[in-house]
Amino acid sequence: MFPQTLVIVLLTVSYCNGNYERKRLLRHNLSEHYNPELLPVLDSNNSNPPLQVHVKLYLMALQGLEDKSQLLRASYFWYFTWKDEIFRWDHYFEYKNISRLTVKASDVWVPELYIVNDVRDMRISTGDNKEYVIVKSNGNMTWFPAKELQTSCAVDVSKYPFDTQTCKIRMEAWYHDNTSFVLNRFGSGIETSEVHFVENGEWEILNLSAYPFQYRDYASAYSCIHYTLILKRRSSYHLITTAFPFVVLMALNLLVSVIPTECGEKLGFCMSQFLTMIVFLTLIAQNMPSSSFTISYLTFLISLQILR
Ligand SMILES: *[C@@H]1O[C@H](CO)[C@@H](O)[C@H](O)[C@H]1NC(C)=O
Ligand SMILES: *[C@@H]1O[C@H](CO)[C@@H](O)[C@H](O)[C@H]1NC(C)=O
Ligand SMILES: *[C@@H]1O[C@H](CO)[C@@H](O)[C@H](O)[C@H]1NC(C)=O
Ligand SMILES: *[C@@H]1O[C@H](CO)[C@@H](O)[C@H](O)[C@H]1NC(C)=O
Ligand SMILES: *[C@@H]1O[C@H](CO)[C@@H](O)[C@H](O)[C@H]1NC(C)=O
């Protein structure tokens, strides 16, 4: 009885240990035959179709759309998947039961992509050697880089505070043309993350869409995806703090013509109306982008009121 138990215990120990050892050997062997700079296709020549990379962008939080600096700040993560023809192994016979590995993103080929309208760091990969890629034995790669983007967005405030803004995120291949790899939408291409999404107090998301295409340079064509976010300002706060006082001020302004000229108070009333309007205009101007491309109709109305 006793020796049998011992054998089982020994087998279990050596199996666990063996599993680690086999993983280590597999990992070593995979890197031995791999160069992360090369496109991971076995027989790459110009007649071969390009590598198909599928992408979906998940919106995690909308930090804000800053009218003044014309920046959209939000955090995202991408879901990338593609087929690597080199980084794969036989999990039925040679590396039994090792069906998946998690490896450093710097050790395998990952698509090099840039967010060309990001104002800080255009690369998607942070390159800090702390990102991972999940590899299945058939070479199916999944990569989830996460990042906060600050993308420039031309804010049109002419309808403030009832405005809707359209912002674009432009993701483009930079060094590899479309004979190397091509980006495709995965599903709808963009959506809010079900688990991580946090609503923004000022902006409501009306629509998210993704549009993949190839843009032609003078020499070659590059694959890219442009994302469009349509945001609507939640106007209730602005109604109370801006629109309501404005209506009251306008009504008071009308009263000026009712006051008889003989009454000495008319000039004083006009002066205080004028000052109130100036203060009000300054308050609104604080929320407005300092550009003259688009000026809010509201600013116009208030300026006109001052002229009266
Ligand atoms: C390493 O990989 C090669 C080619 O895939 C294979 O022939 C060899 O048996 C592997 N070696 C080990 C120790 O797994
Ligand atoms: C390119 O690859 C295809 C398919 O593997 C093959 O038939 C063809 O001969 C290759 N062409 C060249 C120039 O190597
Ligand atoms: C990789 O696996 C995932 C999940 O099983 C699947 O959705 C995806 O289409 C696969 N990707 C490729 C390139 O085969
Ligand atoms: C690359 O893009 C150009 C321009 O849109 C297109 O004509 C060509 O077919 C594309 N090549 C591949 C391999 O998709
Ligand atoms: C979002 O916009 C796209 C492109 O304009 C459109 O095809 C899609 O139906 C819209 N989705 C919703 C939910 O409105």
Side-chain angles (χ1 to χ4, degrees), residues 222-235:
Y222 296 87
S223 186
C224 46
I225 295 187
H226 284 188
Y227 299 103
T228 309
L229 290 79
I230 301 179
L231 309 171
K232 187 180 188 309
R233 198 189 296 270
R234 296 183 203 269
S235 47

PDB file of all heavy atoms in Angstrom, residues 222-235:
ATOM      1  N   TYR A 222      -1.545  53.136 -46.580  1.00  0.00           N
ATOM      2  CA  TYR A 222      -1.475  52.714 -45.184  1.00  0.00           C
ATOM      3  C   TYR A 222      -2.880  52.480 -44.657  1.00  0.00           C
ATOM      4  O   TYR A 222      -3.811  53.190 -45.007  1.00  0.00           O
ATOM      5  CB  TYR A 222      -0.764  53.775 -44.335  1.00  0.00           C
ATOM      6  CG  TYR A 222       0.672  53.974 -44.731  1.00  0.00           C
ATOM      7  CD1 TYR A 222       1.006  54.863 -45.735  1.00  0.00           C
ATOM      8  CD2 TYR A 222       1.684  53.235 -44.132  1.00  0.00           C
ATOM      9  CE1 TYR A 222       2.317  55.026 -46.135  1.00  0.00           C
ATOM     10  CE2 TYR A 222       2.995  53.390 -44.513  1.00  0.00           C
ATOM     11  CZ  TYR A 222       3.319  54.290 -45.520  1.00  0.00           C
ATOM     12  OH  TYR A 222       4.609  54.437 -45.913  1.00  0.00           O
ATOM     13  N   SER A 223      -2.972  51.477 -43.781  1.00  0.00           N
ATOM     14  CA  SER A 223      -4.261  51.124 -43.221  1.00  0.00           C
ATOM     15  C   SER A 223      -4.561  52.019 -42.021  1.00  0.00           C
ATOM     16  O   SER A 223      -3.669  52.324 -41.236  1.00  0.00           O
ATOM     17  CB  SER A 223      -4.201  49.666 -42.784  1.00  0.00           C
ATOM     18  OG  SER A 223      -5.451  49.242 -42.355  1.00  0.00           O
ATOM     19  N   CYS A 224      -5.798  52.454 -41.899  1.00  0.00           N
ATOM     20  CA  CYS A 224      -6.148  53.239 -40.703  1.00  0.00           C
ATOM     21  C   CYS A 224      -7.621  53.079 -40.348  1.00  0.00           C
ATOM     22  O   CYS A 224      -8.419  52.589 -41.151  1.00  0.00           O
ATOM     23  CB  CYS A 224      -5.795  54.714 -40.877  1.00  0.00           C
ATOM     24  SG  CYS A 224      -6.286  55.429 -42.406  1.00  0.00           S
ATOM     25  N   ILE A 225      -7.926  53.463 -39.131  1.00  0.00           N
ATOM     26  CA  ILE A 225      -9.324  53.476 -38.684  1.00  0.00           C
ATOM     27  C   ILE A 225      -9.576  54.835 -38.046  1.00  0.00           C
ATOM     28  O   ILE A 225      -8.801  55.275 -37.202  1.00  0.00           O
ATOM     29  CB  ILE A 225      -9.621  52.354 -37.662  1.00  0.00           C
ATOM     30  CG1 ILE A 225      -9.468  50.977 -38.316  1.00  0.00           C
ATOM     31  CG2 ILE A 225     -11.020  52.507 -37.093  1.00  0.00           C
ATOM     32  CD1 ILE A 225      -9.893  49.821 -37.439  1.00  0.00           C
ATOM     33  N   HIS A 226     -10.621  55.484 -38.485  1.00  0.00           N
ATOM     34  CA  HIS A 226     -11.014  56.740 -37.849  1.00  0.00           C
ATOM     35  C   HIS A 226     -12.269  56.492 -37.022  1.00  0.00           C
ATOM     36  O   HIS A 226     -13.244  55.939 -37.509  1.00  0.00           O
ATOM     37  CB  HIS A 226     -11.272  57.819 -38.895  1.00  0.00           C
ATOM     38  CG  HIS A 226     -10.005  58.374 -39.479  1.00  0.00           C
ATOM     39  ND1 HIS A 226      -9.981  59.451 -40.316  1.00  0.00           N
ATOM     40  CD2 HIS A 226      -8.720  57.993 -39.308  1.00  0.00           C
ATOM     41  CE1 HIS A 226      -8.724  59.708 -40.650  1.00  0.00           C
ATOM     42  NE2 HIS A 226      -7.941  58.830 -40.067  1.00  0.00           N
ATOM     43  N   TYR A 227     -12.192  56.888 -35.755  1.00  0.00           N
ATOM     44  CA  TYR A 227     -13.333  56.733 -34.856  1.00  0.00           C
ATOM     45  C   TYR A 227     -14.037  58.074 -34.728  1.00  0.00           C
ATOM     46  O   TYR A 227     -13.381  59.112 -34.675  1.00  0.00           O
ATOM     47  CB  TYR A 227     -12.864  56.289 -33.471  1.00  0.00           C
ATOM     48  CG  TYR A 227     -12.153  54.952 -33.473  1.00  0.00           C
ATOM     49  CD1 TYR A 227     -10.780  54.869 -33.390  1.00  0.00           C
ATOM     50  CD2 TYR A 227     -12.889  53.771 -33.544  1.00  0.00           C
ATOM     51  CE1 TYR A 227     -10.137  53.644 -33.397  1.00  0.00           C
ATOM     52  CE2 TYR A 227     -12.251  52.547 -33.551  1.00  0.00           C
ATOM     53  CZ  TYR A 227     -10.875  52.481 -33.473  1.00  0.00           C
ATOM     54  OH  TYR A 227     -10.251  51.284 -33.473  1.00  0.00           O
ATOM     55  N   THR A 228     -15.356  58.034 -34.685  1.00  0.00           N
ATOM     56  CA  THR A 228     -16.115  59.266 -34.512  1.00  0.00           C
ATOM     57  C   THR A 228     -16.971  59.160 -33.252  1.00  0.00           C
ATOM     58  O   THR A 228     -17.689  58.178 -33.077  1.00  0.00           O
ATOM     59  CB  THR A 228     -17.023  59.522 -35.730  1.00  0.00           C
ATOM     60  OG1 THR A 228     -16.228  59.426 -36.894  1.00  0.00           O
ATOM     61  CG2 THR A 228     -17.639  60.901 -35.667  1.00  0.00           C
ATOM     62  N   LEU A 229     -16.842  60.157 -32.396  1.00  0.00           N
ATOM     63  CA  LEU A 229     -17.635  60.213 -31.171  1.00  0.00           C
ATOM     64  C   LEU A 229     -18.543  61.427 -31.271  1.00  0.00           C
ATOM     65  O   LEU A 229     -18.061  62.533 -31.523  1.00  0.00           O
ATOM     66  CB  LEU A 229     -16.736  60.379 -29.939  1.00  0.00           C
ATOM     67  CG  LEU A 229     -15.851  59.218 -29.484  1.00  0.00           C
ATOM     68  CD1 LEU A 229     -14.604  59.128 -30.333  1.00  0.00           C
ATOM     69  CD2 LEU A 229     -15.460  59.403 -28.034  1.00  0.00           C
ATOM     70  N   ILE A 230     -19.828  61.214 -31.111  1.00  0.00           N
ATOM     71  CA  ILE A 230     -20.753  62.348 -31.124  1.00  0.00           C
ATOM     72  C   ILE A 230     -21.259  62.553 -29.696  1.00  0.00           C
ATOM     73  O   ILE A 230     -21.822  61.641 -29.085  1.00  0.00           O
ATOM     74  CB  ILE A 230     -21.907  62.122 -32.117  1.00  0.00           C
ATOM     75  CG1 ILE A 230     -21.320  61.923 -33.519  1.00  0.00           C
ATOM     76  CG2 ILE A 230     -22.858  63.309 -32.120  1.00  0.00           C
ATOM     77  CD1 ILE A 230     -22.326  61.672 -34.595  1.00  0.00           C
ATOM     78  N   LEU A 231     -20.987  63.746 -29.163  1.00  0.00           N
ATOM     79  CA  LEU A 231     -21.298  64.044 -27.768  1.00  0.00           C
ATOM     80  C   LEU A 231     -22.304  65.187 -27.692  1.00  0.00           C
ATOM     81  O   LEU A 231     -22.265  66.110 -28.481  1.00  0.00           O
ATOM     82  CB  LEU A 231     -20.020  64.460 -27.028  1.00  0.00           C
ATOM     83  CG  LEU A 231     -18.818  63.540 -27.155  1.00  0.00           C
ATOM     84  CD1 LEU A 231     -17.594  64.198 -26.561  1.00  0.00           C
ATOM     85  CD2 LEU A 231     -19.091  62.228 -26.465  1.00  0.00           C
ATOM     86  N   LYS A 232     -23.198  65.067 -26.702  1.00  0.00           N
ATOM     87  CA  LYS A 232     -24.213  66.102 -26.520  1.00  0.00           C
ATOM     88  C   LYS A 232     -24.047  66.688 -25.125  1.00  0.00           C
ATOM     89  O   LYS A 232     -23.893  65.947 -24.157  1.00  0.00           O
ATOM     90  CB  LYS A 232     -25.598  65.468 -26.650  1.00  0.00           C
ATOM     91  CG  LYS A 232     -26.744  66.445 -26.652  1.00  0.00           C
ATOM     92  CD  LYS A 232     -28.038  65.671 -26.789  1.00  0.00           C
ATOM     93  CE  LYS A 232     -29.232  66.571 -26.994  1.00  0.00           C
ATOM     94  NZ  LYS A 232     -29.326  67.644 -26.021  1.00  0.00           N
ATOM     95  N   ARG A 233     -24.057  68.022 -25.043  1.00  0.00           N
ATOM     96  CA  ARG A 233     -23.900  68.663 -23.744  1.00  0.00           C
ATOM     97  C   ARG A 233     -25.177  68.490 -22.925  1.00  0.00           C
ATOM     98  O   ARG A 233     -26.275  68.710 -23.441  1.00  0.00           O
ATOM     99  CB  ARG A 233     -23.613  70.161 -23.945  1.00  0.00           C
ATOM    100  CG  ARG A 233     -23.024  70.826 -22.717  1.00  0.00           C
ATOM    101  CD  ARG A 233     -22.952  72.331 -22.886  1.00  0.00           C
ATOM    102  NE  ARG A 233     -22.053  72.758 -23.952  1.00  0.00           N
ATOM    103  CZ  ARG A 233     -20.754  73.029 -23.783  1.00  0.00           C
ATOM    104  NH1 ARG A 233     -20.216  72.904 -22.607  1.00  0.00           N
ATOM    105  NH2 ARG A 233     -20.013  73.417 -24.800  1.00  0.00           N
ATOM    106  N   ARG A 234     -25.029  68.048 -21.687  1.00  0.00           N
ATOM    107  CA  ARG A 234     -26.198  67.973 -20.805  1.00  0.00           C
ATOM    108  C   ARG A 234     -26.492  69.403 -20.389  1.00  0.00           C
ATOM    109  O   ARG A 234     -25.699  70.019 -19.682  1.00  0.00           O
ATOM    110  CB  ARG A 234     -25.877  67.137 -19.570  1.00  0.00           C
ATOM    111  CG  ARG A 234     -25.570  65.689 -19.876  1.00  0.00           C
ATOM    112  CD  ARG A 234     -25.337  64.952 -18.580  1.00  0.00           C
ATOM    113  NE  ARG A 234     -24.527  63.751 -18.784  1.00  0.00           N
ATOM    114  CZ  ARG A 234     -25.045  62.547 -19.047  1.00  0.00           C
ATOM    115  NH1 ARG A 234     -26.340  62.403 -19.143  1.00  0.00           N
ATOM    116  NH2 ARG A 234     -24.257  61.517 -19.205  1.00  0.00           N
ATOM    117  N   SER A 235     -27.658  69.943 -20.830  1.00  0.00           N
ATOM    118  CA  SER A 235     -27.821  71.387 -20.734  1.00  0.00           C
ATOM    119  C   SER A 235     -28.527  71.861 -19.483  1.00  0.00           C
ATOM    120  O   SER A 235     -28.621  73.057 -19.261  1.00  0.00           O
ATOM    121  CB  SER A 235     -28.533  71.919 -21.985  1.00  0.00           C
ATOM    122  OG  SER A 235     -29.630  71.123 -22.256  1.00  0.00           O
TER     123      SER A 235
END
